[in-house]
Amino acid sequence: MATYLPVALAACSPQKTELPLTVSATDSEGYQSIGTLEQLTEKGKLLSKELAIGSVLVIQKPDNPQEVIAVNPSCPHAGCSVNWKADQNAFICPCHDSKFAADGQLLEGPAEEPLKRYEAKLEGKTILVKAG
Ligand code: FES
């Protein structure tokens, strides 16, 4: 019996892993945390599919990295998920090449509407998106 004890203890000890992108409960103003500024800076973008409003793609504002922009990544043309291309300061749709500015505004079709924006802010180093 004693020979199994270390194995059992090892299984119960906390393991150091990369922080998962976890979504907090909605606060009184309807904001939810989707990650930290450090995570966003490291990855260049954060995508969450866990909010009640659906998928949210967050980037740092190109002209002010201390502010964040949150959009629905679903392309208004036919629903493909757009990608953030930092080198072009634009969201590009992989399906038919629609192009959107960092604030979601339409730059090039075939899409005819901008990306849907969500309110987002930083509270300390925590990124909050209005999800309610
Ligand atoms: Fe995005 Fe067609 S689905 S351009």
Side-chain angles (χ1 to χ4, degrees):
M1 179 69 175
T3 55
Y4 296 110
L5 192 54
V7 174
L9 287 176
C12 294
S13 63
Q15 300 196 353
K16 190 173 180 188
T17 57
E18 186 177 331
L19 279 177
L21 198 56
T22 52
V23 174
S24 70
T26 306
D27 72 9
S28 60
E29 294 178 343
Y31 283 92
Q32 280 183 277
S33 162
I34 69 153
T36 65
L37 187 58
E38 286 84 3
Q39 290 173 311
L40 178 56
T41 301
E42 182 185 323
K43 297 178 180 177
K45 61 188 172 188
L46 289 179
L47 176 66
S48 172
K49 298 180 178 180
E50 297 179 34
L51 298 180
I53 52 177
S55 294
V56 175
L57 182 58
V58 177
I59 61 164
Q60 288 173 288
K61 203 170 176 183
D63 58 354
N64 183 358
Q66 296 304 310
E67 290 184 27
V68 292
I69 296 172
V71 301
N72 181 332
S74 180
C75 179
H77 179 236
C80 294
S81 284
V82 299
N83 298 315
W84 171 247
K85 300 289 186 186
D87 58 338
Q88 299 180 53
N89 273 347
F91 295 99
I92 308 290
C93 182
C95 293
H96 312 103
D97 296 325
S98 282
K99 188 173 181 180
F100 305 87
D103 65 358
Q105 290 303 307
L106 178 65
L107 297 174
E108 291 175 30
E112 296 179 345
E113 295 178 25
L115 295 175
K116 183 174 173 53
R117 284 276 303 266
Y118 296 117
E119 287 184 47
K121 63 182 180 180
L122 280 168
E123 211 167 78
K125 300 281 185 187
T126 303
I127 301 165
L128 299 173
V129 175
K130 190 154 191 164

